[in-house]
Each structure stands twice: as structure tokens, then as C-alpha cells.
Amino acid sequence: MKNAAGHVPGLAVVLVGDRKDSQSYVRFKVKGCEEVGIKSLLAELPRNCTEDEVVDSVSRFNEDPSVHGVLVQLPLPQHMDEEKILNAISLDKDVDGFHPLNVGNLALRSRKPLFVSCAAKACLELLFQSGIDLMGKHVTIIGRSKVVGLPTSLLLQRHHATVSVIHAFTENPEEITRGSDIVISAAGVANLVRGSWLKQGAVVIDVGTNPVEDPASDFGYRLTGDVCFEEAVNVASAITPVPGGVGPVTIAMLLANTLDSAKRVYGLSD
Amino acid sequence: MKNAAGHVPGLAVVLVGDRKDSQSYVRFKVKGCEEVGIKSLLAELPRNCTEDEVVDSVSRFNEDPSVHGVLVQLPLPQHMDEEKILNAISLDKDVDGFHPLNVGNLALRSRKPLFVSCAAKACLELLFQSGIDLMGKHVTIIGRSKVVGLPTSLLLQRHHATVSVIHAFTENPEEITRGSDIVISAAGVANLVRGSWLKQGAVVIDVGTNPVEDPASDFGYRLTGDVCFEEAVNVASAITPVPGGVGPVTIAMLLANTLDSAKRVYGLSD
């Protein structure tokens, strides 16, 4: 874009505290920017900073014309009001797609959100790239977070899938997954989805990244998905691994959202 | 409210064209207002009026401090841009709950919409009044309109139900309904849901109102639901009739939304 249009897209990330997992996610995002020529700006604030300091950081990025996407790495420290801080992000820089107006416009099929959650877009991208038809297919989503479950369920419905959303309170979740053509798990529970939960030939997307203890690993733990891969791989017709499955595609979608935002600003939209 | 607080809530309805069904829905709404002491205002515009004239009507009601709820009776004539007209309704008078910000805030469980779709609230009210527990229960919604299917699916999820949404493209819809504890039909297809689609003891809410020819009726037609009542009544543990089921409760929810809006304006909210 720099060469073609003389502009560089910019992504700003606000990181509060020193959670190892958040730091590593932010590192991946910054690295992703570098690889594709997006400028990245990082505001790091200490765990004990005030809500207002976080909002100030966000506001500065909102006003910076070289920034086209602003995101606050979640989760925030418990003493902070997540909603208030996310509300501070400009609607037109909301590259995570968490703003209620973006969510509402995603839910209403006749409307068009400015941004859609990166994880939701990543799930769809993986399905499209694998040539999997969604129209009328029964997709079960495990988990209903605003980051993954909710936006993925809404995006799939725009593509005419039949969507079931199951969660911690669901009675007999495996009965519903066993009736599904596609299972997308974002529950945050290691090895929740067993082979017996799946229909023969089902497509499985594992969005879970759960740390499990592993003395053999350099860090003392490793990341594992929601799906018991060894069992599921014998039943599924296609399955994403953890790590290395949805994660990198989610970063790519974040970069794509940032690029789209910059193109909108510079009048280069498709 | 008039006696207790010296204020009268006001509901404004914009009706375009001369569809018999729309006219009769509007009549019910106006009659409902009269019964509970809500002031109703009606703007009737001819079928061939312009979009701008409809928007002007809406704008006048937006600015009228005696009006606390504004709704445009749908469907609009085909030459009109429904989205543009609905966008004109003030967020804080959107008693139908169709504004994308209200929909987004309904979808995001940690947030609170100003208004929720009256039909969705009616379905939940009927379930609550019948003492039916929602937590973890599998509810299948047939149809995904912004008026019923979508908001009902989102509202049920706030109450921790497990929700599946099926529609015209769904393969084997009856397989999914047969696995459900509660079936809510808003497809607009007479007698779509047969007894064989239901699990023994399922709860059935029929939101369909489909005109079917009936020479014996005064009007030459009568309204029938989406559910084949004669079959379903033998299988279901509870079922709503059409007419007389969800319809009147939906009107009650519209009046409740209007009252809530007025209470907000006058600082009388709970």
C-alpha cells in the first residue's frame, strides 16, 4: 500500500499489565504488522494504572491520523471496567469489531458492519479455503464469548449456515455436536471435545488455546486446544491444530481489518 | 402513570399504504394504548408517498416531547429503503428495538439495550408465565428475521438457553426441532411444523400469522400459525394458539416498552 498509494496503515495496541499470554499475543500482532508493512504502535501500561490512563491512551490513538486500528488487549486487570474502556475506541478504528454498533450491524443481515471480529473471520476463512460449503449446514459453536462465539455465530448466519450455540449450561452438549456438520470450539476448556462428540466426517475448528502444565516445555507449560486432537482426528474429515491453526489466521484478519480501515480513510476501498 | 406522576406516555405509529394486515396490526396497537392510558398518535401516508415524507413523519415524532416511542409499521412499500427510514427513528424512542445499537447491546450479554423487540419479549414472557425454565434448555427458533427470530435468539441466550436457529436453507430442520425442549416458530409458513417435528413434551410457541383462504370467514381468509396445531397439541406439553397466543402479548410488550421509555424520560425508571 505504501508503494501503491503513498500511505502506510497503522495499528495501535494498548497492553495493560504483564500477563505472559497477553504479552505473547501482542508480540505476534506486532510481528505480523512488521511482516506486511503495517506500522505498529504499542502503549504498555502497568497493571496498577488507572482506568483513565488506559482511556487516555486509547483517545490519543483515536486522534492520531496515522493510526487506522486501535485495540485493547483483553483481559484487562480485574479492577477495570472493560466496557468503559472499549467504549472509548472510535467506531471507525474498532478493528476487533467489539463495538455494539459493529456487533448489531453484523447481526442484522441487511446491514454491513465496519469491522467483524478477527477470530470469527478466521474461522470462516479456514472453511472457505478448505472449500467447505456453509449454506444450510449445521454448525455448532461451543462458547458464546464476544470475542469468538457470538460474532462467529452471527457471521455464519450471514452465510446461511444453521447455527447452534452451546455453552457451560447446555444439557447434553455432545448430542448437539454429534448432529453437526461443523463444530467450532471456543470454550477455553482443554480436551473438552472428545472423538465421541463428533459425527463421522465432521469438520472441526479448534479456537481454544489452553495452557496445560508440561515440565518438558521451556516455559513449564504448553498450549492445547479445546478438542482432544488424537481422538478427533480419526473421526473428522478436516481439523485445525493448536497451536498453528486458527491463531495465525486470526492475526492475518487483524491485519486485513487494519488495511481495510486505512483504505477507507484514504478512499481506496473496493 | 398519569395519576401517579402527572405524565402520559405517548406512542407514535407511522403507517404507509393500505395493506389490510398492517392496518389491522396498527388498529390493535392503538386499541392497546387506549386500554392502558397511553396516548397514541398515528401518521397515515399513502402508498405512493416518498421516502422523505416518511422520514419527515418520523422526525416530527422524534422531536415531539409527548412521544416516547416511535414505530414504523413494516413492511414498507417496495420502492422504499426500509433501512434508511428505520435509521431515522431516535435510538431512545426505538420501541421496536430494531436499531443496530439496540441489537448489538442485546447480543453483548454484559450490555443493556434500551429496547428489545416486542415479539422476542413476548416469547420469553409466555415461557416465564408458564414457569418454564430456560437455563441450558435447547430452544430451536425457526426463522431469522430481525423482528422475531434474531432478537429472540439473542434474548434467549441472555437467559442461558442453548439456541439453534433454523431457516429455509436448513437441511433436515425436523431433526433439530425433534431434539429441542422448546420450539419457537416464526417462519411465516402455514402448517410447516408437524407433530412429527416435535419431541414428546416439547413446549411450542407459534409466532406465525399466515393468511389462508377460508370462504366461511367474513373476510374470505383466516389467520393460521406456522404449527399444525391439531397434530402438535397431541405431542407438546404446552402450545400457543394462533390467533390469540403471541400476538396480544407482543402488543402488551410494545406498551411496556413505551411506558419504560416514558419512565426513563421522566426519571421514574426502576
Side-chain angles (χ1 to χ4, degrees), chain A:
Chain A
M1 185 162 163
K2 186 182 174 186
N3 292 335
H7 301 291
V8 177
L11 173 68
V13 179
V14 179
L15 173 63
V16 184
D18 51 9
R19 281 179 65 123
K20 292 271 169 294
D21 55 348
S22 292
Q23 287 174 333
S24 109
Y25 291 136
V26 168
R27 238 181 353 254
F28 282 128
K29 291 171 186 177
V30 170
K31 192 161 157 277
C33 286
E34 282 165 12
E35 285 172 7
V36 299
I38 289 177
K39 182 181 84 163
S40 66
L41 295 90
L42 177 59
E44 286 187 272
L45 292 109
R47 211 201 152 313
N48 60 357
C49 73
T50 66
E51 230 167 69
D52 286 345
E53 288 174 292
V54 184
V55 169
D56 285 348
S57 259
V58 168
S59 303
R60 270 195 301 276
F61 288 137
N62 283 341
E63 284 154 26
D64 183 341
S66 78
V67 169
H68 308 95
V70 178
L71 74 86
V72 175
Q73 185 66 40
L74 301 180
L76 287 161
Q78 285 210 326
H79 68 281
M80 290 190 181
D81 182 345
E82 180 184 297
E83 216 156 274
K84 184 183 157 193
I85 290 168
L86 293 182
N87 279 347
I89 298 173
S90 278
L91 180 64
D92 57 354
K93 297 191 179 185
D94 173 40
V95 279
D96 263 340
F98 295 160
H99 191 291
L101 197 56
N102 279 323
V103 175
N105 283 327
L106 174 63
L108 294 160
R109 275 173 301 126
S110 63
R111 296 184 183 250
K112 210 173 168 322
L114 285 173
F115 301 101
V116 176
S117 143
C118 307
K121 284 177 78 168
C123 291
L124 277 274
E125 186 64 23
L126 283 161
L127 293 167
F128 292 146
Q129 293 291 338
S130 304
I132 291 157
D133 183 30
L134 289 174
M135 187 173 278
K137 290 290 181 298
H138 189 188
V139 186
T140 293
I141 299 170
I142 309 176
R144 47 182 180 157
S145 70
K146 70 165 173 298
V147 181
V148 189
L150 171 66
T152 306
S153 73
L154 298 174
L155 187 57
L156 282 163
Q157 288 184 72
R158 289 178 85 100
H159 290 273
H160 310 300
T162 301
V163 178
S164 298
V165 179
I166 68 178
H167 47 75
F169 296 121
T170 300
E171 299 167 2
N172 302 323
E174 62 274 30
E175 201 180 300
I176 299 175
T177 54
R178 257 198 307 270
S180 306
D181 307 299
I182 301 168
V183 174
I184 299 177
S185 190
V189 180
N191 293 315
L192 173 72
V193 179
R194 310 297 301 259
S196 61
W197 284 39
L198 303 171
K199 175 160 86 174
Q200 190 67 43
V203 171
V204 180
I205 295 187
D206 191 350
V207 195
T209 48
N210 311 294
V212 292
E213 275 188 41
D214 182 2
S217 154
D218 287 350
F219 305 99
Y221 75 94
R222 62 185 166 83
L223 289 181
T224 186
D226 288 352
V227 179
C228 182
F229 191 87
E230 303 73 36
E231 290 182 12
V233 75
N234 297 317
V235 187
S237 63
I239 181 168
T240 63
V242 175
V246 179
V249 186
T250 302
I251 305 273
M253 294 301 126
L254 173 65
L255 306 176
N257 277 356
T258 307
L259 179 61
D260 285 347
S261 179
K263 285 163 80 177
R264 240 187 323 256
V265 168
Y266 298 121
L268 302 167
S269 295
D270 310 324

Side-chain angles (χ1 to χ4, degrees), chain B residues 134 143 156 169 194 200 203 219 221 257 267:
Chain B
L134 289 174
L156 282 163
F169 296 121
R194 311 296 302 257
Q200 189 68 42
V203 171
F219 305 100
Y221 75 96
N257 276 356

Side-chain angles (χ1 to χ4, degrees), chain B residues 1-9 259 262-269:
Chain B
M1 184 162 164
K2 185 182 175 188
N3 292 334
H7 300 293
V8 177
L259 177 61
K263 285 163 80 177
R264 245 193 314 262
V265 167
Y266 298 122
L268 303 167
S269 295

Side-chain angles (χ1 to χ4, degrees), chain B residues 79-124:
Chain B
H79 67 280
M80 291 191 181
D81 182 345
E82 179 184 296
E83 215 155 276
K84 184 183 159 192
I85 290 168
L86 292 181
N87 279 347
I89 298 174
S90 277
L91 180 63
D92 57 354
K93 297 191 178 185
D94 172 39
V95 280
D96 264 340
F98 296 158
H99 191 290
L101 197 54
N102 279 324
V103 175
N105 282 327
L106 174 63
L108 294 160
R109 276 175 298 126
S110 63
R111 297 184 183 249
K112 211 176 167 324
L114 286 173
F115 301 101
V116 176
S117 141
C118 306
K121 284 177 78 168
C123 291
L124 276 275

